[in-house]
Amino acid sequence: MEGVRTADPPSPAPARDEDGSEGEDSQARKVASDDESGEDTARPSKKIGVYSDDDDESDDPSDEEMTEADKRFIVDDEGEEDEEDVPTSQTPSRDRRRKRKRRKREISESESDLDAEDLELVHENSGGTKKFKRLRRKADDDDVAKIFSDDDEAPGRETHQRDLYDEDNMEDFIIDDDEGEGAEVDRIPNPRKVKQSMGANLGRSMGISDEQWHEYNNLFDCEMDYGWALHGKPDFMHLEENDEDAPSLKDKTLKLTDIYEPSEIAEKLLTDADEIIRLNDLPERFQLRGDMPIPEPGELEREAIWIARQLFLEKHVSGDANESHPVVQSIVKVLTYFRGEDQKGDRPHFEVPFILAHRRDYIDGLLDRNDLWRVYDLDFQFVAFENKKKSVLSLYKDIARLSPAAAQDAYVEELLSRACGPEDIMDVSLYIQLQYGHELAQAEQSRRQTFKRARRQTPYDIARQAGIPELVKMFACDARQIGSNMNAGAEKGLSPALTPLEAAANFVNGPFNTAEKALEAARMMLAQDMAVDPMFRAFVRKVYSSDATLTVSPTKKGKIEIDHRHPYYPFKYLSNKYLWEFTDGQFLQIHKAEQEGLIETEVRISAEQEFFDDIVKRGSFASGSDSDVAWNAEIRKILDRACRESLFPQIVKWQKERLAASARDFVALRCQMALEEKITVAPLVVQDPEYEDEWDPRVLAISWGEGDSNAATWSLVVNETGEVLQTLKLDRFRGPAEHRGPDVDALIDMINTHNPKIVAIAGFKPNTKTILHRAVQDILQEALLSGRLSEDLQVIFVDDDVARVYMTSEVALRDYPEKHYPQLVRYLVSLARRVQDPLAEFAGLFEKDIMSLKLHPLQYLIAEDKYNWATEKAFVNVVNDVGVDINLAAQHAHRAVVLRFVSGLGPRKAQAFLNKISRSSGAGRLDARANLIRNKITGKRIFMNCSSFIRVRERHFHVGTLDVLDDTRIHPEDYDLARKMAADALDYEDAVVDGEADQSVHVSDLMKSPKDLQKLAHLALDEFAMELERRMKEKKKMVLQDIMKEIMLPFGDRRRPFEPAGPAEIFTMLSGETDDTLPENSVVAVQITRVTDRLLKCRLNSGLDGLIHIRQVPIPPQQREPPQTLVGLFREDSLLQARVIRVDKERLTVELSLLNVSADAGREAVPVDARFDRRREGDELAAQRNIDVRKAKTKQVRQINHPYFKLMDYKAAMQYLENKPAGSVVIRPSTKGNDHFSITWKVEGPICQHVDVIESNKENEMALGRVLTIDGERYSEIDQIIAELIEPTNRRVQNTLTHPKYQRRSLDDMNRFIEEQCASTRRSSYGLILARDKPCHLQLVYKHPQARGPPHHEHVQVRHKGYVFRKRMFGSVDEVLRFFKEDEAKRAAEAAKGQRGGGDAHRNGGGYPQQSGGPQPYRSAAPAPGQYMHGRV
């Protein structure tokens, strides 16, 4: 069909069973569409994912048909007594496996053990019961000439195994030599032996079982990509046939690290540490926290008080946190669940979701979910704090054994006992370091048990040895006493009779040979004593926290860069803002701006001089005698040195760090809340009786991306589980309606074939809504009216924030390779899946790509680890609230991504979890929660944490033999309670219940009877809870209420319903604009598209349509009245600066005005901080204007009336653009004269391009020329240059940066990378990098396996019209690479032909025909950089 290409590309390689055959689940997903008929050729007759007993019988191979490879994976854990029947050749392997089993059993708390309590738990959940009294009722109640031929083949062929190194699947990128003279042939061992060695387990020395080794091979594709390492095959490329030094083919014992890079092993979570985490029966997130010791008696109570005080302070709650406070008691219980011991001496290790769901009786009304997470984080901080405190105390005790003075000093132990935070420990450490520095060095030396090194004496030590402390005592300014006096308000007594200088004369000795030197030593000692005294520091810190203010002043650089459009403008002139007023993330911006050198900050107490005078007063003598005056003058000098030079700057630094940490916590919490808001959305529900809410609807997704005139439109359909059924390319959809016929027919055929229930649409430009959306609606409506469609399909817009990230992610490229799937198809896959399961689609971005989601404007200012932890908590909250369909996750990888967030699990345990299920009985499915224990899938603790969040759903089974409670939020430990409640609601006797084979059958009966469900509300649950508390010593009131709700509505979805994208979301998605980027009164550049009498129609850079009414046009020059028509005043395609009046998000239009347009327009409208000093801003602006006037009088400097114009040279321009986004522009004067000006724009990172613009047709020397010329191309305005030259070039550069073949490397690093890749794969390798020395140039680095020497590199110039490579212009990077590969193949063919023909070319080593001025052979020197490039931007 002309103009239409139906693409049914191969799906990602199907999962295979351990015998290498495709598993049943993979076969069920393997759906194709016939190219001609469009009908499904392999579509299962039953619902997706449904298993049947018949299928199991027909598909399972018999024992006689099993191969030896199959039998190796079947290990009888208790069949070691059969060892005598094993052949001798297999005995060592069996011995090794038995030893490994013993080693695994020695790991403490392994998941593999079933103790008595585990068996009891299984018993309880498989029919065993606990006896309870009957409840009474209440009253109411994805050949050389043909080297690159695979690029042009249809994507419908079978997908080969992909190269791990080469993301472009360039396995055919090979230049063969073997057709020339003396072709060399590798000596390959016996293929059968090679195949056997490929399957050998090389990881036994690391404790890796055969089963795990098989999984690793599949994961790394090692048989295809790393066969050279497994074979141990030598390199014969450069060896003669009879070379005696040739290596022999002997077997070599290899380790896992010999085959894979350590970074690859770590990335795939296959290190020894990862294996330990998998095996230990502890929640993975707990293990990643580190060692959490068993708490000492009373420790949890102290910690609970400490945490409660933190919570009260953060929530501004008044009250004393003590052991009797209900919140403290609740925190104690939570901490016990985290890392304490229960009454039996066991450590529960419950995670937050479990506590929130099944221990609500202890926290309800006291702690919410965010509080539990805060307790979780503070618990980690407290343990670190306690360990530090114990370490300091232990060290001080060692010091006390060396120093009698320290042994008698109880000050340190008293301070440590009262320490409440890390800052207190820091104060004590500084105090010990000053007072007992010598003893501290000795104690640390003895602990390290190394040779003693001489410690350099400090001035403080020298003064102390000279007896200066006795002089210090005469000041009566003991640091401890000053700190307490400041709090108590006490004053000192009488001063010594001698003056300070007279007193110092008595201490003249040693290095202090004059009285003045002795007095100076005393000043130094006392100042240091004051500066490190913990009590005094704590007091000053407290005063700063309550009374200190922060003032911001812009630097010279900041005054230039921070205008009213800059994100730092709201605090540019911040004045006297109290530190306690910083409650959001603003301080992070202030901190960042200060680091960038744009502002300076000053933190000081508002009445600092009064505060200092009060300190001096408390440390001075009070009588007023001449002696007192002399001593008080010295004391003021000492305190000034101690406070202003030492203590105050340290406290300011600490306060800034505290504010930054608090701001990071705020931003992280806001990111968590924003993500929770996005993912707490249920799948789209279609009102169709056929589905009955059992399966997600099939979705058709369609988009044309950027919507360019030559861009193709793509559509696809996914089935109920999100697997791609068919893709369709519509080549004529962008054209006129009368040319769409073939595309419309193909689209209707695809709809009728696959029967989607919803149509999802999205894109990158406004024409997606104005043209594509309307066209799709009209086509579907016309088809419905004509009878070509049987039902009306709803067309909805879907927010594409996840799809934009997914389409370039590693996961997407792995599942849907670039070779077969264009980027827009990956975009549509994510778009369709978001309709089916928004939670799973967001979770698929974790952890590598989650940072690309825009959750908060300041998220880039917090560390990646902190951001990831915040988003992980959001996923954990929602996933455990919704539950995970474990059998759906086991069948489909994109649905399994949520399993890692289940309580108790993580990426490692989730991986092992699914692997064990796939190997367990039941055709790779889980049919009961109890089988998690029976089949040794989890240990006891993990089972307790995760079981109630694992859903075993009936839709995966034909025979109804499941326990209905396994698809509820009810925990298995409470199944008996649920059964008891159901039996009593139905008035069943205990004997009848006990006689049932299925103990939950009466629960099932109750769920099926809406009338009987109401009886649950009449049970006396409060009395039942009291009885349970009396007998079991556990509170169950809230649990019973939750059980009742679950029986009435099992796993009721608490998320809000799915809603299509609204006008605001569509506006941002299609334009990239928000209320922050396009506020009212902002000035934007527009291009006139049409001129009418009373209206100017414009186009913004974002693609939005702008409207300028004649009323918003100023009176033309030399006219007194407003214009009556706009025709003649303006011309089409001209550029203007306009002011935003109103944004219509529904119609995607912007109302604009040409009145009051200036560079400073809207300054007053920008929201600023409440402490922003407008007066200071006005004074500095007035001063700057005066400076500009004086400069203008002395020297006439050319000015260009444009908002991007700056008076700076190229160095200043590059510095100005350093922190600006790519594409930012500076227009500046040119050194070539007034008939030139320069444009500097940021390409990427530190790379900027300087464009020389020649002016002509000027009114005068200072005026802007009417004709602007760049490299022979003419423009009429600066904005036209930006719109038609710089912006297209920038878009092409940015598109290149996201290309799979682009690498962020230096040339040397790229050469090494290509060398390694070429050597390891034996294939030609290539890649792209930015040319650092040539802006807007790429370097194509490549090497062929036969070429000697370093890789070659050629330049690709990026221009506004395309890419220039080898004197040709191309429209995209893919076209450049396609031509490169075709040209290389052509040259290789000519080289091979020349070698076969012999002659001078072969003898000279020439690989290419010699051409005058053409590129040289790849065996010789590389062509000079830029040799083939012409022109410049």
Side-chain angles (χ1 to χ4, degrees):
M1 184 180 296
E2 183 179 354
V4 179
R5 180 164 60 89
T6 301
D8 297 312
S11 299
R16 295 182 178 272
D17 293 333
E18 293 169 351
D19 59 354
S21 62
E22 293 188 10
E24 178 182 301
D25 57 335
S26 299
Q27 294 174 0
R29 295 196 305 270
K30 194 172 183 181
V31 180
S33 177
D34 189 276
D35 287 341
E36 298 179 0
S37 65
E39 298 179 356
D40 294 349
T41 59
R43 180 174 173 82
S45 59
K46 300 170 183 172
K47 288 186 177 181
I48 300 298
V50 176
Y51 298 87
S52 68
D53 296 336
D54 294 335
D55 292 339
D56 294 341
E57 289 180 11
S58 62
D59 291 343
D60 289 342
S62 61
D63 293 339
E64 291 79 13
E65 296 173 341
M66 294 179 63
T67 65
E68 290 299 318
D70 297 326
K71 295 177 182 179
R72 283 204 306 269
F73 290 97
I74 301 178
V75 181
D76 188 356
D77 292 336
E78 299 176 355
E80 295 179 3
E81 65 274 14
D82 297 335
E83 183 180 335
E84 297 176 358
D85 298 332
V86 180
T88 305
S89 61
Q90 296 184 13
T91 301
S93 176
R94 183 65 58 88
D95 290 341
R96 286 192 294 270
R97 288 199 293 271
R98 188 168 66 252
K99 291 179 181 178
R100 286 197 303 274
K101 292 178 189 175
R102 280 200 293 266
R103 285 200 298 270
K104 287 186 179 181
R105 285 197 291 266
E106 291 172 359
I107 297 179
S108 61
E109 301 177 324
S110 173
E111 294 180 350
S112 303
D113 298 334
L114 286 176
D115 56 17
E117 293 184 0
D118 296 334
L119 295 174
E120 181 182 352
L121 189 60
V122 174
H123 172 69
E124 293 174 6
N125 294 289
S126 58
T129 61
K130 298 177 182 177
K131 297 297 182 181
F132 299 107
K133 291 184 178 180
R134 182 179 179 84
L135 275 68
R136 69 176 181 83
R137 298 181 186 275
K138 294 191 297 183
D140 294 306
D141 270 317
D142 338 44
D143 147 40
V144 176
K146 296 184 179 180
I147 294 178
F148 301 105
S149 60
D150 55 344
D151 287 343
D152 299 323
E153 292 178 11
R157 63 174 188 165
E158 181 179 353
T159 303
H160 297 288
Q161 197 83 0
R162 298 181 61 239
D163 192 336
L164 181 65
Y165 283 108
D166 195 346
E167 296 178 359
D168 203 20
N169 198 8
M170 299 304 300
E171 69 272 3
D172 291 327
F173 191 9
I174 303 172
I175 309 300
D176 292 329
D177 275 329
D178 51 7
E179 294 181 359
E181 294 181 3
E184 297 165 349
V185 181
D186 291 350
R187 288 75 171 168
I188 301 178
N190 188 307
R192 184 174 302 176
K193 294 183 179 181
V194 170
K195 188 173 182 180
Q196 292 175 356
S197 66
M198 294 279 282
N201 183 355
L202 306 180
R204 290 195 179 100
S205 62
M206 302 175 64
I208 299 176
S209 65
D210 293 341
E211 294 87 349
Q212 290 172 322
W213 178 253
H214 180 69
E215 296 168 14
Y216 301 163
N217 285 342
N218 291 337
L219 185 61
F220 282 111
D221 297 336
C222 69
E223 293 188 5
M224 295 298 297
D225 298 319
Y226 295 96
W228 57 274
L230 292 172
H231 283 308
K233 185 182 73 173
D235 185 1
F236 293 101
M237 290 295 293
H238 307 295
L239 296 179
E240 297 297 334
E241 184 175 359
N242 298 320
D243 194 343
E244 296 179 357
D245 297 330
S248 60
L249 292 171
K250 296 181 179 179
D251 293 338
K252 179 182 178 183
T253 302
L254 298 176
K255 298 180 181 179
L256 193 63
T257 52
D258 293 332
I259 305 175
Y260 310 118
E261 291 290 337
S263 59
E264 294 175 322
I265 298 175
E267 182 182 358
K268 301 301 181 182
L269 306 179
L270 300 176
T271 64
D272 294 341
D274 295 320
E275 188 65 15
I276 292 174
I277 293 176
R278 286 189 189 90
L279 295 176
N280 279 346
D281 187 22
L282 290 174
E284 184 165 334
R285 277 173 283 275
F286 278 3
Q287 296 188 60
L288 295 177
R289 290 177 67 183
D291 183 31
M292 303 300 287
I294 299 175
E296 300 174 353
E299 179 181 337
L300 294 185
E301 287 73 16
R302 288 188 292 107
E303 179 180 355
I305 294 174
W306 182 81
I307 292 177
R309 288 172 178 168
Q310 300 281 338
L311 294 178
F312 290 175
L313 184 63
E314 294 170 1
K315 294 189 171 186
H316 306 287
V317 176
S318 59
D320 182 29
N322 51 57
E323 291 187 6
S324 61
H325 197 288
V327 173
V328 174
Q329 294 177 352
S330 181
I331 294 176
V332 171
K333 196 70 176 177
V334 172
L335 293 174
T336 303
Y337 293 143
F338 284 162
R339 64 183 185 94
E341 294 180 331
D342 57 19
Q343 297 176 352
K344 299 179 181 179
D346 295 331
R347 304 186 70 183
H349 291 300
F350 293 151
E351 285 211 84
V352 168
F354 176 89
I355 299 173
L356 189 66
H358 307 297
R359 297 295 185 267
R360 283 207 302 133
D361 289 273
Y362 298 95
I363 63 171
D364 192 61
L366 299 172
L367 302 173
D368 59 22
R369 183 163 61 186
N370 287 334
D371 292 333
L372 288 179
W373 281 116
R374 188 61 179 147
V375 172
Y376 182 92
D377 292 335
L378 289 174
D379 175 43
F380 179 76
Q381 296 179 22
F382 180 83
V383 171
F385 166 66
E386 283 289 301
N387 290 338
K388 183 63 177 177
K389 184 194 295 186
K390 293 175 182 178
S391 176
V392 173
L393 182 59
S394 174
L395 186 60
Y396 184 72
K397 289 182 178 180
D398 291 345
I399 293 174
R401 285 192 286 268
L402 299 172
S403 171
Q408 298 175 4
D409 189 0
Y411 189 46
V412 171
E413 296 187 12
E414 177 187 352
L415 291 170
L416 287 175
S417 64
R418 296 187 305 183
C420 297
E423 65 275 8
D424 297 327
I425 304 298
M426 177 187 66
D427 291 345
V428 175
S429 299
L430 290 175
Y431 175 82
I432 294 175
Q433 187 174 359
L434 179 67
Q435 297 294 336
Y436 307 104
H438 182 69
E439 294 84 354
L440 175 63
Q442 288 182 325
E444 291 179 339
Q445 202 72 40
S446 62
R447 287 189 171 194
R448 290 194 294 264
Q449 295 182 351
T450 58
F451 292 106
K452 183 176 180 180
R453 292 187 301 175
R455 175 180 175 269
R456 180 178 299 177
Q457 285 189 318
T458 65
Y460 190 94
D461 295 333
I462 297 172
R464 180 162 52 187
Q465 294 172 3
I468 301 299
E470 293 299 322
L471 177 58
V472 171
K473 291 180 181 178
M474 300 180 70
F475 286 87
C477 276
D478 182 33
R480 308 180 193 178
Q481 196 174 18
I482 286 287
S484 60
N485 284 349
M486 289 301 301
N487 292 315
E491 295 184 358
K492 297 197 308 183
L494 299 176
S495 64
L498 299 176
T499 64
L501 199 58
E502 293 173 343
N506 298 324
F507 297 90
V508 174
N509 64 71
F512 311 109
N513 51 11
T514 65
E516 181 58 38
K517 289 183 179 179
L519 184 58
E520 176 60 26
R523 295 189 195 111
M524 177 271 298
M525 289 192 70
L526 187 52
Q528 290 194 29
D529 286 341
M530 289 293 299
V532 302
D533 179 71
M535 292 184 63
F536 186 60
R537 291 173 67 91
F539 172 73
V540 176
R541 189 184 296 115
K542 182 178 179 181
V543 173
Y544 263 85
S545 297
S546 60
D547 297 344
T549 62
L550 182 141
T551 298
V552 174
S553 299
T555 62
K556 183 177 180 180
K557 176 183 176 183
K559 291 177 181 179
I560 298 174
E561 294 192 15
I562 304 177
D563 56 18
H564 67 278
R565 293 178 291 267
H566 198 282
Y568 298 160
Y569 178 75
F571 56 82
K572 182 179 181 179
Y573 294 100
L574 194 68
S575 295
N576 297 324
K577 182 171 182 176
Y578 286 99
L579 300 187
W580 50 265
E581 292 181 310
F582 288 94
T583 57
D584 54 13
Q586 185 189 57
F587 190 81
L588 281 181
Q589 288 182 293
I590 295 176
H591 183 63
K592 181 67 173 177
E594 190 172 21
Q595 289 180 331
E596 294 173 357
L598 298 176
I599 63 170
E600 294 176 347
T601 60
E602 180 186 18
V603 177
R604 62 193 303 271
I605 299 172
S606 55
E608 183 176 299
Q609 188 59 43
E610 297 178 12
F611 175 63
F612 179 72
D613 290 342
D614 194 44
I615 293 175
V616 173
K617 180 180 178 181
R618 300 298 178 180
S620 300
F621 297 101
S623 65
S625 65
D626 294 341
S627 178
D628 288 349
V629 172
W631 284 98
N632 289 343
E634 293 296 331
I635 291 174
R636 176 174 285 274
K637 294 179 183 178
I638 293 169
L639 291 175
D640 186 78
R641 179 188 294 184
C643 295
R644 299 186 189 275
E645 296 181 11
S646 180
L647 181 55
F648 287 178
Q650 293 176 16
I651 299 299
V652 167
K653 180 181 178 182
W654 177 84
Q655 290 287 355
K656 288 183 177 181
E657 292 173 350
R658 180 183 65 84
L659 290 176
S662 178
R664 293 187 192 100
D665 290 340
F666 172 86
V667 174
L669 180 60
R670 286 296 181 268
C671 290
Q672 176 186 339
M673 296 171 62
L675 182 57
E676 284 193 36
E677 181 72 15
K678 285 178 175 288
I679 63 180
T680 311
V681 178
L684 178 67
V685 177
V686 178
Q687 302 301 325
D688 190 332
E690 179 184 348
Y691 283 88
E692 300 177 354
D693 291 341
E694 281 292 315
W695 296 95
D696 298 320
R698 293 189 175 191
V699 180
L700 184 149
I702 185 170
S703 177
W704 60 26
E706 295 283 352
D708 297 334
S709 58
N710 58 347
T713 302
W714 281 88
S715 64
L716 58 79
V717 177
V718 297
N719 65 7
E720 295 83 353
T721 58
E723 303 293 347
V724 177
L725 295 176
Q726 181 183 350
T727 62
L728 180 65
K729 183 180 181 182
L730 308 172
D731 292 314
R732 299 184 178 183
F733 217 75
R734 186 67 176 86
E738 57 271 16
H739 295 167
R740 298 175 185 164
D743 286 357
V744 172
D745 294 339
L747 182 63
I748 298 300
D749 289 343
M750 185 170 69
I751 294 175
N752 288 325
T753 300
H754 301 295
N755 193 28
K757 298 298 179 182
I758 202 75
V759 178
I761 190 172
F764 308 149
K765 292 296 182 181
N767 58 17
T768 300
K769 181 177 182 181
T770 57
I771 302 178
L772 179 61
H773 180 251
R774 295 174 184 174
V776 173
Q777 284 185 318
D778 293 343
I779 290 171
L780 296 180
Q781 188 65 30
E782 181 181 350
L784 181 65
L785 295 176
S786 63
R788 298 180 65 186
L789 290 179
S790 59
E791 58 180 319
D792 189 10
L793 293 179
Q794 182 184 3
V795 182
I796 64 172
F797 268 96
V798 180
D799 197 344
D800 67 346
D801 52 351
V802 178
R804 293 189 185 219
V805 178
Y806 175 82
M807 66 182 182
T808 58
S809 66
E810 292 183 10
V811 175
L813 289 169
R814 182 191 66 207
D815 295 343
Y816 301 95
E818 186 78 29
K819 181 177 179 180
H820 298 305
Y821 298 88
Q823 181 172 285
L824 194 57
V825 169
R826 296 192 291 273
Y827 171 84
L828 292 174
V829 170
S830 178
L831 201 70
R833 288 175 175 176
R834 179 166 183 174
V835 176
Q836 296 180 326
D837 193 345
L839 175 59
E841 200 56 27
F842 273 93
L845 299 182
F846 194 86
E847 154 179 40
K848 290 183 178 180
D849 302 303
I850 198 69
M851 280 287 289
S852 300
L853 280 181
K854 296 179 181 179
L855 302 177
H856 191 276
L858 304 181
Q859 68 184 57
Y860 69 97
L861 293 177
I862 64 176
E864 184 176 357
D865 290 343
K866 194 173 191 68
Y867 179 88
N868 285 340
W869 175 233
T871 53
E872 182 173 2
K873 287 188 289 188
F875 282 121
V876 170
N877 289 340
V878 179
V879 167
N880 288 278
D881 189 53
V882 174
V884 175
D885 184 344
I886 188 60
N887 290 310
L888 187 63
Q891 299 169 48
H892 305 280
H894 68 276
R895 293 294 183 95
V897 292
V898 296
L899 189 61
R900 63 181 295 172
F901 303 109
V902 170
S903 178
L905 303 183
R908 300 159 187 83
K909 287 187 176 292
Q911 183 186 73
F913 197 97
L914 293 175
N915 288 340
K916 291 178 181 179
I917 289 178
S918 66
R919 295 198 301 268
S920 65
S921 60
R925 54 181 173 171
L926 183 71
D927 54 8
R929 287 174 174 171
N931 285 342
L932 294 175
I933 290 289
R934 291 195 190 103
N935 296 338
K936 303 179 183 179
I937 296 174
T938 68
K940 174 184 175 182
R941 291 192 183 98
I942 303 302
F943 177 83
M944 287 296 295
N945 271 285
C946 75
S947 56
S948 63
F949 309 111
I950 299 297
R951 302 183 64 179
V952 181
R953 306 189 66 178
E954 269 187 51
R955 64 183 183 178
H956 298 282
F957 302 86
H958 281 299
V959 182
T961 59
L962 303 180
D963 191 329
V964 293
L965 295 176
D966 283 345
D967 194 18
T968 67
R969 292 186 177 92
I970 303 172
H971 197 279
E973 68 174 2
D974 296 323
Y975 278 7
D976 286 333
L977 299 179
R979 293 162 181 160
K980 176 67 175 174
M981 291 169 60
D984 289 346
L986 295 173
D987 293 326
Y988 287 170
E989 298 294 335
D990 291 344
V992 176
V993 174
D994 294 340
E996 294 287 350
D998 181 4
Q999 293 294 313
S1000 298
V1001 64
H1002 43 285
V1003 182
S1004 178
D1005 295 339
L1006 184 61
M1007 290 179 176
K1008 296 175 182 177
S1009 175
K1011 180 179 179 181
D1012 292 333
L1013 279 175
Q1014 303 301 321
K1015 298 179 181 180
L1016 285 173
H1018 299 284
L1019 296 177
L1021 297 183
D1022 291 344
E1023 296 182 9
F1024 189 30
M1026 294 174 60
E1027 175 67 15
L1028 291 174
E1029 186 174 2
R1030 183 183 64 82
R1031 293 177 54 185
M1032 303 174 60
K1033 307 301 180 183
E1034 291 184 3
K1035 296 180 180 180
K1036 291 284 186 179
K1037 181 179 179 180
M1038 304 297 297
V1039 172
L1040 295 177
Q1041 294 291 334
D1042 291 341
I1043 291 175
M1044 180 181 67
K1045 295 176 183 178
E1046 282 301 306
I1047 295 178
M1048 290 182 173
L1049 185 61
F1051 258 111
D1053 205 330
R1054 301 165 181 168
R1055 298 171 291 181
R1056 68 180 185 276
F1058 183 94
E1059 295 181 357
E1065 291 86 353
I1066 296 175
F1067 177 81
T1068 299
M1069 174 176 65
L1070 299 181
S1071 68
E1073 302 284 7
T1074 64
D1075 293 337
D1076 296 330
T1077 61
L1078 196 65
E1080 292 184 3
N1081 293 318
S1082 61
V1083 178
V1084 296
V1086 299
Q1087 184 178 21
I1088 299 177
T1089 58
R1090 185 179 178 186
V1091 182
T1092 64
D1093 285 340
R1094 306 185 64 81
L1095 193 67
L1096 293 179
K1097 295 185 177 181
C1098 311
R1099 182 67 49 82
L1100 279 70
N1101 291 335
S1102 59
L1104 293 172
D1105 291 329
L1107 302 174
I1108 304 176
H1109 194 271
I1110 192 172
R1111 294 192 304 268
Q1112 301 298 332
V1113 176
I1115 299 175
Q1118 300 178 351
Q1119 293 187 14
R1120 297 182 178 180
E1121 297 181 357
Q1124 299 300 315
T1125 180
L1126 298 177
V1127 177
L1129 293 177
F1130 300 92
R1131 58 184 177 85
E1132 294 182 358
D1133 296 330
S1134 61
L1135 301 175
L1136 299 173
Q1137 295 289 319
R1139 180 169 55 89
V1140 177
I1141 299 177
R1142 190 175 73 90
V1143 178
D1144 190 338
K1145 297 182 179 179
E1146 182 70 36
R1147 299 172 59 190
L1148 298 178
T1149 58
V1150 182
E1151 293 183 16
L1152 303 166
S1153 173
L1154 299 181
L1155 301 175
N1156 300 324
V1157 178
S1158 66
D1160 295 332
R1163 185 191 302 275
E1164 297 293 333
V1166 176
V1168 295
D1169 192 277
R1171 298 281 183 175
F1172 189 94
D1173 193 339
R1174 289 286 187 184
R1175 179 180 298 178
R1176 186 152 60 102
E1177 179 190 33
D1179 293 343
E1180 293 204 6
L1181 288 175
Q1184 185 62 41
R1185 281 194 292 267
N1186 292 333
I1187 295 174
D1188 294 340
V1189 170
R1190 289 196 297 269
K1191 287 183 177 180
K1193 291 180 179 179
T1194 59
K1195 181 181 179 180
Q1196 188 175 9
V1197 179
R1198 185 185 183 195
Q1199 295 280 347
I1200 297 178
N1201 186 18
H1202 194 279
Y1204 293 154
F1205 180 78
K1206 306 286 183 183
L1207 283 173
M1208 53 179 63
D1209 59 9
Y1210 79 97
K1211 292 183 179 179
M1214 294 179 66
Q1215 186 177 6
Y1216 171 77
L1217 294 172
E1218 181 180 356
N1219 297 306
K1220 301 291 183 182
S1224 299
V1225 174
V1226 167
I1227 301 170
R1228 56 183 179 83
S1230 174
T1231 58
K1232 297 182 179 180
N1234 289 331
D1235 57 347
H1236 291 252
F1237 67 87
S1238 298
I1239 299 178
T1240 300
W1241 68 279
K1242 183 173 181 179
V1243 180
E1244 176 67 14
I1247 304 176
C1248 294
Q1249 185 180 39
H1250 309 287
V1251 182
D1252 180 36
V1253 184
I1254 303 175
E1255 305 175 58
S1256 59
N1257 198 4
K1258 298 163 62 77
E1259 292 182 357
N1260 54 68
E1261 184 182 4
M1262 294 299 173
L1264 183 66
R1266 294 188 179 94
V1267 178
L1268 310 176
T1269 306
I1270 302 175
D1271 290 338
E1273 296 188 10
R1274 294 190 173 189
Y1275 303 89
S1276 60
E1277 294 179 345
I1278 295 177
D1279 289 330
Q1280 184 184 4
I1281 297 175
I1282 296 175
E1284 298 181 4
L1285 179 67
I1286 295 177
E1287 289 183 351
T1289 307
N1290 179 56
R1291 280 195 297 270
R1292 294 187 184 278
V1293 172
Q1294 297 306 315
N1295 290 338
T1296 304
L1297 300 184
T1298 61
H1299 194 275
K1301 299 309 295 182
Y1302 175 76
Q1303 297 280 338
R1304 293 184 181 272
R1305 301 172 182 266
S1306 65
L1307 180 58
D1308 293 339
D1309 192 18
M1310 190 65 175
N1311 284 337
R1312 287 192 294 269
F1313 175 78
I1314 294 297
E1315 288 266 22
E1316 295 170 359
Q1317 190 176 7
C1318 184
S1320 62
T1321 61
R1322 288 293 182 191
R1323 294 195 287 269
S1324 298
S1325 301
Y1326 68 98
L1328 293 168
I1329 61 172
L1330 275 179
R1332 301 286 175 180
D1333 56 340
K1334 301 193 69 173
C1336 292
H1337 281 72
L1338 306 170
Q1339 285 181 309
L1340 176 59
V1341 185
Y1342 63 94
K1343 184 177 182 180
H1344 304 302
Q1346 294 81 0
R1348 301 182 181 181
H1352 301 277
H1353 57 87
E1354 297 184 39
H1355 281 79
V1356 181
Q1357 184 183 14
V1358 185
R1359 305 196 64 185
H1360 61 293
K1361 295 181 180 180
Y1363 301 83
V1364 179
F1365 177 67
R1366 292 181 180 174
K1367 300 182 181 181
R1368 299 190 182 205
M1369 180 76 75
F1370 302 93
S1372 67
V1373 177
D1374 290 329
E1375 291 180 11
V1376 173
L1377 297 179
R1378 188 179 301 114
F1379 169 77
F1380 164 66
K1381 292 182 287 188
E1382 292 172 352
D1383 199 34
E1384 289 297 295
K1386 180 180 178 181
R1387 297 184 181 192
E1390 294 174 355
K1393 181 178 179 181
Q1395 289 177 356
R1396 288 193 296 268
D1400 295 337
H1402 178 71
R1403 288 192 294 271
N1404 293 334
Y1408 298 119
Q1410 298 297 317
Q1411 300 177 9
S1412 175
Q1416 297 300 313
Y1418 64 77
R1419 293 179 185 269
S1420 62
Q1427 178 177 345
Y1428 311 114
M1429 306 299 114
H1430 297 280
R1432 58 191 291 265
V1433 177

